[in-house]
């Protein structure tokens, strides 16, 4: 098996992640949760991979849209590394009142 980076997965394999969607993203996708296998290593790459799945993902997760993300319930930025078996959540910014 060829390894391209010290912590990379063998070619052909991916990370299994649980995706959680909240608020308007959940409404646009018609689901609050799904489990996927991804080759993405960062949240940014994962978001790009999801956008390629179709129009509803492209609209809900568009790069011009302000979104927040979390890995295993800890807020993160787009460059955070996605570990295998983690939960990645996407949600719109929340304002208080």
């Amino acid at each position: 098996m060829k390894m391209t980076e010290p912590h990379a997965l063998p070619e052909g394999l991916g990370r299994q992640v649980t995706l959680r969607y909240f608020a308007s993203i959940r409404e646009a996708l018609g689901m609050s949760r799904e489990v996927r296998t991804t080759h993405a290593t960062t949240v940014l790459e994962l978001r790009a991979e999801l956008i390629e799945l179709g129009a509803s993902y492209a609209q809900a997760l568009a790069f011009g849209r302000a979104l927040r993300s979390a890995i295993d319930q800890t807020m993160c930025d787009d460059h955070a590394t996605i570990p295998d078996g983690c939960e990645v959540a996407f949600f719109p910014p929340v304002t208080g009142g």
Side-chain angles (χ1 to χ4, degrees):
M1 284 188 249
K2 180 181 173 188
M3 299 292 274
T4 57
E5 298 176 14
H7 300 291
L9 297 171
E11 282 186 355
L13 298 180
R15 291 169 174 76
Q16 185 168 337
V17 295
T18 299
L19 300 168
R20 301 283 311 270
Y21 307 113
F22 294 92
S24 59
I25 301 165
R26 178 186 63 230
E27 292 167 15
L29 296 177
M31 67 182 131
S32 62
R33 179 183 182 278
E34 67 178 316
V35 177
R36 290 196 160 272
T37 299
T38 180
H39 291 282
T41 59
T42 66
V43 172
L44 182 67
E45 291 173 2
L46 177 61
R47 191 170 170 184
E49 199 174 275
L50 292 169
I51 287 170
E52 293 297 317
L53 293 176
S56 60
Y57 285 93
Q59 181 180 354
L61 301 170
F63 285 115
R65 184 173 182 190
L67 293 180
R68 301 290 182 255
S69 55
I71 295 176
D72 293 331
Q73 300 181 7
T74 300
M75 297 289 291
C76 65
D77 66 20
D78 285 342
H79 302 289
T81 301
I82 301 171
D84 187 34
C86 74
E87 175 188 271
V88 179
F90 291 102
F91 46 94
V94 179
T95 59

